[in-house]
Amino acid sequence: RGERIAEKMRTWIVLLLWACAQQSVNAVALSRGPVRRKTKEIEGRQDKELLRRSKRGWMWKQFFVQEEYTGTENLYIGKLHSDMDKGDGTVMYVLTGEGAGTIFVIDANSGDLHATRSLDREEKPFYALRVQAVNKKTGLPLDPETEFIVKLHDINDNEPKFDKEVYTASVPERSHIGTYVTQVTAQDADDEMFGYNAKLAYSISQGHPYFSVEPNTGIIRTALGPSDMDREQREHYQVVIEAKDMAGQKGGLTGSTTVNISLTDVNDNPPRFTQSIYQFSVPELTKVGTSVGRIRAVDADVGRNAEMDYTVVGGDGLDVFDISTDKNTQEGILSLKKPLDYEKKKSYTLQIQVQNTHPDPRFLSLDAKDMTTVRVSVEDVDEPPQFEKISYILEVKEDAAVGTVIGSVSAVDPDILHSPVKYSIDRHTDVDRIFGVYAGNGSIFLQRPLDREELTWHNISMFATEFNNPQQTSRVPVYIRVLDVNDNPPMLTSFHEFFVCENAKAGQKIQTISAVDPDDPVGGHHFLFFLAPESSVRANFSVRDNGDNTAGIFTRRTGYGRMHKSTHLVSVVISDGQFPMQSSTGTLTIRVCTCNRDGNMEMCNAEALTSSAGLSTGALVAILLCILILLLIVVLFAALKRQKKKEPLIISKEDVRDNVVSYNDEGGGEEDTQAFDMGALRHPEVMEESKLRRDILPSESLYPPPPLRRTKAPSRENADVRDFINQRAKAEDFI
């Protein structure tokens, strides 16, 4: 019995091994795939029969599933089946790829493929998956892995969407029908290749009847004529454009957008005045250029098309008033062009015209300009006195007497009352109070003498003030010219010294002289030169007038003796020839000098040399003093050096060389003693140390001094003193 059991076990093991071998052969055949199976002659017959008998392979390429599935259960997509699956439950299907296990699941036993949730084609249009059949027991693949695609079918689940939520556009007013405005564009996320899900058609739901839209392109155009598209009537439009898929058919989805359209301005309106008459008033003392008032014209246009120009075209104030345009407000500014005078004219009437600065030729008409009237009233103001002239020029002779009236100024009150006027001088312009004025009539007179040579012009200012209102004052400049009077004689120029050679011949020119005169005659100066009648040198020199305000000095004889007379004085009279005639006498100094053959000076006396050198006497004296001082300094230095070379042999406090005393035998002691100060012979150091001096004033005697008495034999020191004295005496030429 045990043997039977063992035999049965062996039989089952053999069957199991055969089944495994059979599965291995099938797996090898499946791995080759349906495309790669070919009949080969070199293979064995058994292999050929096996290939023909199996005919296995995957029989699909792609699956289709509709998007946006709304069911509660998993959506069945299709069935995957391998030829190796005999239905015996030994085959297991394995799914991999995009969304495997999450979005897509497969029944491992049956190969049924399901989608676990709703899919959106616009998010992802297809999925690539892979599947493989394996042996459930061994896990070995029965067929090679193959790839398939799950493609989503589109449904019309997306409405069209415009590129912008709000569009902004503009078009000129007065445009013709069909004028291009703008273009809108919408997009549909549905599949363009699948029916009409993404086929769009545009339409206008708001904006009729002013605008239209092309269904296929989304281009918006004007739908009314020029007269209906007027910016001044309506400027802004809001247009709603719709885009519908399914080519606009019923059941399609719709998207919309808003287009804000503005009409831009064109110059199709002329300016118009707001008033037919404007009235202004202005004080008569208003300065030129001051604004009188503003007038306003309105223009329905805006910007550059509303700019306007104002012009004064008529009235009695064309030359008195001017008008300009305020660039910010486009108002007309009326301004004063000339001074006003209430007493002469109290009002003005002006005709003002306005028109556009930049008119559009398409809209020009006869009423493109507008007119208005402006009336200006002049207000009376208490004015200051007005002088008859803006300036005065007066003339007076310099010899005019004090109190002489040289001229007058005149001013009147321009007001109707004609208030009296008083006059005065601005003393800031006449600090020296040379002039005065009569307050009642404005006559100007002299208060001090004048001198033209000191100041030719006097510029002063005059005041005119109302008696009744002193605050009303006006000023005028007065220019006073001082006229010349011949009150100054001509004078010789500063150079008055010349020389003449001893060997000069008669008629020889020595020098040319000229004169100056501070006066300024009308015809210019005409000086006359001649010798003074009382001149004592008439026989020696002569004066010859050259006729050009100069004269020449000439010799009247041959030869001048320097030793006989070295200097000649020549008196020359100079007259100006004017009325009253003024003359003066100048003295020329002519020195006699020795000259060479060429007439060049070689030697003169000291005075001539100084004269020729052009130096004054004071300068020469200073130079001589400096020379003497320098000589004295040199002598002193030389003496000091000589003294230093010969110093005494004995420098001691007991120096016996104090005095040399000579006694007179017939004398009576000290009265006959002549003492000589020897301090000068002492060494400077000894003099500083010795404070005691024994100087005795010697008395004069009629007798010669006796010889010096000595009681002792001369010592060596006395011999040295004697030698020193002898040397000093010789040096000073005493011996």
Side-chain angles (χ1 to χ4, degrees):
R1 188 175 179 180
E3 292 179 353
R4 288 180 181 177
I5 294 172
E7 185 177 358
K8 288 182 179 180
M9 292 294 293
R10 286 196 293 271
T11 303
W12 282 107
I13 291 172
V14 171
L15 291 174
L16 182 59
L17 291 174
W18 180 84
C20 290
Q22 188 67 28
Q23 291 293 332
S24 299
V25 171
N26 293 337
V28 171
L30 183 62
S31 64
R32 294 175 182 176
V35 179
R36 299 169 59 182
R37 294 193 203 117
K38 296 182 180 178
T39 304
K40 301 182 179 179
E41 296 180 356
I42 61 174
E43 294 181 355
R45 183 178 178 181
Q46 186 176 0
D47 293 337
K48 292 181 180 179
E49 291 178 357
L50 178 59
L51 291 172
R52 277 196 304 269
R53 185 174 57 252
S54 64
K55 295 182 180 179
R56 296 185 295 273
W58 301 100
M59 302 303 295
W60 65 85
K61 291 184 179 179
Q62 61 183 5
F63 293 96
F64 294 94
V65 62
Q66 190 173 9
E67 66 170 335
E68 303 294 344
Y69 171 68
T70 58
T72 58
E73 297 180 356
N74 292 344
L75 176 64
Y76 177 76
I77 298 175
K79 188 179 183 63
L80 299 172
H81 182 73
S82 175
D83 291 343
M84 297 300 296
D85 189 359
K86 303 300 181 180
D88 54 2
T90 59
V91 177
M92 182 178 64
Y93 296 95
V94 178
L95 183 66
T96 59
E98 297 178 335
T102 56
I103 300 176
F104 302 99
V105 294
I106 190 171
D107 190 332
N109 296 321
S110 63
D112 291 337
L113 183 66
H114 292 81
T116 61
R117 60 180 177 82
S118 175
L119 301 178
D120 187 359
R121 188 200 68 83
E122 287 71 36
E123 180 180 350
K124 188 173 181 61
F126 63 89
Y127 295 85
L129 299 169
R130 296 182 300 278
V131 65
Q132 189 174 35
V134 299
N135 187 283
K136 186 182 297 185
K137 295 180 180 180
T138 63
L140 297 175
L142 300 178
D143 274 331
E145 187 180 55
T146 185
E147 186 179 55
F148 64 95
I149 295 175
V150 176
K151 188 173 183 181
L152 301 181
H153 272 175
D154 182 53
I155 63 173
N156 191 16
D157 60 341
N158 291 281
E159 70 277 3
K161 292 185 178 180
F162 285 90
D163 297 340
K164 299 179 182 178
E165 293 183 2
V166 178
Y167 288 82
T168 302
S170 63
V171 63
E173 64 172 330
R174 305 286 184 179
S175 297
H176 296 284
I177 297 176
T179 301
Y180 174 86
V181 179
T182 188
Q183 183 177 13
V184 295
T185 304
Q187 306 292 336
D188 196 320
D190 293 326
D191 190 358
E192 296 179 356
M193 306 302 295
F194 189 79
Y196 292 102
N197 291 347
K199 183 67 174 178
L200 303 181
Y202 298 94
S203 61
I204 184 169
S205 62
Q206 180 180 327
H208 291 293
Y210 304 100
F211 301 95
S212 62
V213 63
E214 294 180 358
N216 298 327
T217 62
I219 295 176
I220 302 174
R221 300 182 183 274
T222 58
L224 294 179
S227 59
D228 297 317
M229 304 296 288
D230 189 359
R231 187 200 65 84
E232 287 72 36
Q233 295 181 2
R234 183 176 178 182
E235 183 176 1
H236 301 289
Y237 297 85
Q238 190 175 69
V239 179
V240 178
I241 303 297
E242 292 183 348
K244 189 175 184 180
D245 58 13
M246 299 299 292
Q249 298 178 7
K250 187 176 181 180
L253 300 178
T254 302
S256 63
T257 186
T258 301
V259 183
N260 293 324
I261 302 175
S262 300
L263 298 183
T264 58
D265 185 60
V266 297
N267 195 359
D268 58 341
N269 294 281
R272 291 287 181 264
F273 282 107
T274 57
Q275 298 176 218
S276 59
I277 297 177
Y278 292 85
Q279 291 186 348
F280 302 103
S281 60
V282 57
E284 61 175 328
L285 296 183
T286 303
K287 294 182 179 180
V288 173
T290 304
S291 174
V292 175
R294 289 174 174 250
I295 60 176
R296 180 177 178 79
V298 296
D299 192 330
D301 298 320
V302 294
R304 186 172 183 268
N305 296 324
E307 294 179 2
M308 57 190 75
D309 291 329
Y310 297 87
T311 310
V312 180
V313 296
D316 55 0
L318 283 171
D319 58 341
V320 180
F321 297 93
D322 194 9
I323 192 168
S324 60
T325 304
D326 187 332
K327 299 301 180 182
N328 296 323
T329 63
Q330 295 302 313
E331 293 177 316
I333 305 174
L334 190 65
S335 59
L336 193 61
K337 191 176 181 181
K338 287 185 178 181
L340 300 174
D341 189 351
Y342 173 81
E343 287 71 28
K344 293 182 180 180
K345 191 171 179 61
K346 297 178 176 58
S347 65
Y348 295 89
T349 301
L350 305 173
Q351 297 296 323
I352 307 296
Q353 174 184 283
V354 65
Q355 62 181 354
N356 281 130
T357 307
H358 310 286
D360 192 334
R362 298 176 299 172
F363 306 105
L364 284 177
S365 59
L366 297 177
D367 59 348
K369 302 176 182 179
D370 197 17
M371 300 285 292
T372 190
T373 301
V374 177
R375 294 175 180 172
V376 181
S377 299
V378 181
E379 297 177 354
D380 186 26
V381 177
D382 187 7
E383 303 175 67
Q386 293 182 359
F387 285 95
E388 294 179 351
K389 301 178 181 179
I390 59 174
S391 64
Y392 290 84
I393 299 178
L394 305 178
E395 294 181 345
V396 59
K397 290 185 177 182
E398 62 177 321
D399 61 348
V402 173
T404 301
V405 175
I406 61 176
S408 63
V409 296
S410 178
V412 295
D413 182 12
D415 297 322
I416 298 177
L417 298 177
H418 294 294
S419 174
V421 177
K422 63 179 179 178
Y423 302 90
S424 61
I425 297 178
D426 183 0
R427 290 305 174 185
H428 293 91
T429 61
D430 185 24
V431 179
D432 297 331
R433 296 182 176 270
I434 299 175
F435 304 98
V437 63
Y438 294 109
N441 58 13
S443 297
I444 302 173
F445 60 91
L446 284 178
Q447 293 187 153
R448 288 189 177 186
L450 299 175
D451 186 0
R452 189 202 66 85
E453 286 71 37
E454 181 179 348
L455 191 61
T456 304
W457 285 91
H458 296 268
N459 303 327
I460 64 175
S461 294
M462 301 293 298
F463 289 128
T465 307
E466 290 185 11
F467 273 102
N468 299 331
N469 187 2
Q471 294 182 352
Q472 296 296 332
T473 301
S474 58
R475 174 197 295 261
V476 68
V478 179
Y479 307 102
I480 302 174
R481 179 183 180 184
V482 181
L483 300 178
D484 183 49
V485 174
N486 192 23
D487 57 348
N488 293 281
M491 305 291 290
L492 284 175
T493 54
S494 59
F495 189 73
H496 296 164
E497 293 188 4
F498 315 106
F499 74 93
V500 62
C501 296
E502 286 183 308
N503 56 356
K505 296 180 181 180
Q508 183 176 340
K509 183 178 180 180
I510 298 175
Q511 187 67 37
T512 299
I513 60 175
S514 60
V516 293
D517 190 338
D519 293 326
D520 186 17
V522 177
H525 292 294
H526 299 285
F527 298 139
L528 300 176
F529 299 85
F530 52 90
L531 286 175
E534 67 276 8
S535 177
S536 61
V537 296
R538 182 180 299 274
N540 294 325
F541 301 95
S542 64
V543 176
R544 188 179 302 170
D545 197 328
N546 296 327
D548 57 354
N549 295 331
T550 63
I553 307 299
F554 293 85
T555 60
R556 299 193 64 179
R557 62 185 177 87
T558 301
Y560 294 86
R562 183 168 65 89
M563 302 303 295
H564 179 265
K565 188 174 184 180
S566 62
T567 303
H568 296 272
L569 299 178
V570 180
S571 298
V572 179
V573 178
I574 309 100
S575 174
D576 55 14
Q578 302 294 323
F579 181 82
M581 182 178 293
Q582 297 288 341
S583 63
S584 66
T585 302
T587 301
L588 304 178
T589 301
I590 302 177
R591 304 189 184 278
V592 181
C593 300
T594 301
C595 302
N596 57 17
R597 294 181 179 180
D598 298 330
N600 298 322
M601 180 180 63
E602 290 184 346
M603 185 174 61
C604 273
N605 54 11
E607 294 180 354
L609 289 174
T610 57
S611 174
S612 63
L615 296 176
S616 63
T617 304
L620 289 175
V621 171
I623 293 173
L624 292 175
L625 288 176
C626 291
I627 293 173
L628 290 175
I629 292 172
L630 290 175
L631 289 174
L632 289 174
I633 292 173
V634 171
V635 171
L636 289 175
F637 270 105
L640 289 175
K641 287 183 179 180
R642 191 178 298 114
Q643 184 177 358
K644 288 182 179 179
K645 290 180 181 179
K646 300 178 181 180
E647 295 179 351
L649 298 175
I650 299 175
I651 303 175
S652 174
K653 294 182 179 180
E654 297 178 358
D655 191 358
V656 298
R657 296 174 295 171
D658 287 340
N659 292 310
V660 177
V661 182
S662 60
Y663 295 93
N664 192 348
D665 293 340
E666 297 179 358
E670 294 179 356
E671 293 179 358
D672 296 334
T673 302
Q674 293 180 351
F676 299 92
D677 186 10
M678 300 297 291
L681 302 179
R682 300 184 63 188
H683 194 277
E685 295 181 2
V686 178
M687 293 178 65
E688 290 177 0
E689 294 177 359
S690 178
K691 300 294 179 84
L692 183 62
R693 294 181 59 87
R694 295 178 293 176
D695 299 338
I696 299 174
L697 294 175
S699 59
E700 295 186 1
S701 176
L702 299 175
Y703 302 97
L708 181 64
R709 295 178 181 179
R710 298 185 182 276
T711 58
K712 294 183 180 180
S715 65
R716 179 63 182 169
E717 293 180 355
N718 293 337
D720 292 338
V721 171
R722 188 183 306 110
D723 294 338
F724 175 78
I725 293 173
N726 292 333
Q727 291 176 1
R728 284 292 184 179
K730 290 179 181 180
E732 298 298 331
D733 295 331
F734 291 156
I735 297 176

